[in-house]
């Protein structure tokens, strides 16, 4: 095991996750992590630089993670996994591989897991994919979203949606100001009380659909505050700007920082412990440090570990790298 660098709250380790589990995590961190948050290599057809598996090889690799994650997770902890779509090699047919992976992961007999909720991240800025069938043959539409799956060991993992509220709509703000609305029975047979919507809760409950850019320019996008703060700001992102200045090609499959912060805020408290077993450039560790959570990140590629250090030069962070190898 090679601890590449440490901060006040966490450590970044260069190692294959399965080896790290066998030699270190299973011995020292059983039932310790409140959240395992990661974007593993996607089951893509063309092998990418960041090392994704393919087909049945990917499925077998992915499924064997289930009992390991379960063993490391606290009883009320959560697993959050971003998983993209896949397509059949050479065919304009969407693969069911990602769904097979999910179902087998959740139902692994040694893991005792259950699927809590599905989230959709819509990003219209994604490049046209699959390119052959979208831009050449022009017989399919663009895959513009990814799935995020929330999984847990318990039916009632620790969570609080009051910590990730969306801003109220203009109409709701107006209603709260006027302190009256059209109460009574609706066609749906719901009976709306005279005071049902007069309490100001600081915002509305978040949806499981993240609209990173507006579907309708005339309509206000109402993402949770921590997601909205990162929406449409990639050009000003410290990490990307620094990579450009230093001639570094950034990791091609980075998780959106706002989404990472949403789940950290939603599912953990300060000082809770978070694991990212496939950290890449370490978005999870960066956000955890910024939000005063403890963290461990694992990445096998030393090139991406170098990029991870850049994140801790960010002036938004109070904590810096304390020790590095």
């Amino acid at each position: 095991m090679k601890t590449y660098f440490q901060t006040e709250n966490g450590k970044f380790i260069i190692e294959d996750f399965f080896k790290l589990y066998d030699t270190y995590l299973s011995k020292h961190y059983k039932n310790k992590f409140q959240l395992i948050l990661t974007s593993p290599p996607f089951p893509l057809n063309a092998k990418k630089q960041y090392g994704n598996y393919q087909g049945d090889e990917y499925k077998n690799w992915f499924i064997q993670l289930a009992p390991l994650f379960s063993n490391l997770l606290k009883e009320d902890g959560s697993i959050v996994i971003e998983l993209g779509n896949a397509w059949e090699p050479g065919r304009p047919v969407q693969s069911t591989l990602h769904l097979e992976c999910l179902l087998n992961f959740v139902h692994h007999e040694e893991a005792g897991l259950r699927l809590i909720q599905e989230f959709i991240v819509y990003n219209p800025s994604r490049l046209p994919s699959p390119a052959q069938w979208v831009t050449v043959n022009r017989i399919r539409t663009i895959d513009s979203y990814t799935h995020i799956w929330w999984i847990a060991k318990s039916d009632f993992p620790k969570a609080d949606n009051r910590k990730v509220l969306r801003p109220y709509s203009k109409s709701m703000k107006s209603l709260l100001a006027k302190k009256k609305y059209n109460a009574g029975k609706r066609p749906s047979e719901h009976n709306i009380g005279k005071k049902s919507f007069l309490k100001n809760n600081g915002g509305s409950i978040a949806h499981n659909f993240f609209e990173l850019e507006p579907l309708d320019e005339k309509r206000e996008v109402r993402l949770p505050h921590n997601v909205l703060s990162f929406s449409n700001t990639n050009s000003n992102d410290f990490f990307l700007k620094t990579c450009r200045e230093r001639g570094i090609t950034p990791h091609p499959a980075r998780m959106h920082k706002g989404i990472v912060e949403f789940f950290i805020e939603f599912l953990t408290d300060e000082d809770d412990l978070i694991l990212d077993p496939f950290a890449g450039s370490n978005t999870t560790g960066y956000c955890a440090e910024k939000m005063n959570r403890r963290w461990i990140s694992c990445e096998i590629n030393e090139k991406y570990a170098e990029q991870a250090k850049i994140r801790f030069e960010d002036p938004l962070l109070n904590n810096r790298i304390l020790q590095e190898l």
Side-chain angles (χ1 to χ4, degrees), residues 2-8 10-14 246 302 305-310 312-313 320-325:
K2 182 179 179 182
T3 301
Y4 201 64
F5 64 83
Q6 288 184 244
T7 66
E8 183 175 322
K11 61 177 68 174
F12 190 100
I13 299 170
I14 296 181
R246 298 179 186 178
E302 191 163 332
E306 279 293 319
Q307 294 183 18
K309 288 198 295 187
I310 293 174
F312 290 85
E313 300 173 24
R320 295 292 187 270
I321 292 174
L322 302 176
Q323 177 182 348
E324 60 181 289
L325 298 179

Side-chain angles (χ1 to χ4, degrees), residues 21-127:
Y21 176 86
D22 288 338
T23 60
Y24 179 63
L25 293 177
S26 63
K27 297 176 181 178
H28 300 285
Y29 288 94
K30 183 176 180 180
N31 303 132
K32 297 293 186 182
F33 290 98
Q34 190 64 48
L35 175 62
I36 299 175
L37 174 59
T38 194
S39 178
F42 288 1
L44 307 173
N45 290 326
K47 198 165 184 63
K48 298 290 186 181
Q49 191 175 8
Y50 50 93
N52 60 289
Y53 294 94
Q54 299 165 275
D56 287 340
E57 182 185 20
Y58 181 91
K59 182 164 69 173
N60 293 333
W61 173 85
F62 187 86
I63 293 168
Q64 65 181 320
L65 292 169
L68 279 58
F69 284 7
S70 180
N71 191 45
L72 296 173
L73 205 64
K74 295 180 73 171
E75 289 305 311
D76 65 348
S78 293
I79 301 167
V80 173
I81 300 177
E82 181 183 24
L83 195 60
N85 294 326
W87 290 76
E88 293 290 347
R91 301 171 61 196
V93 176
Q94 185 165 330
S95 172
T96 61
L97 180 61
H98 63 296
L99 299 176
E100 294 171 35
C101 289
L102 172 74
L103 291 174
N104 281 279
F105 181 94
V106 170
H107 295 304
H108 195 295
E109 59 183 14
E110 297 176 19
L113 300 172
R114 66 269 289 141
L115 178 61
I116 302 299
Q117 193 168 13
E118 174 188 8
F119 291 78
I120 299 293
V121 180
Y122 165 70
N123 183 3
S125 296
R126 291 184 69 190
L127 293 174

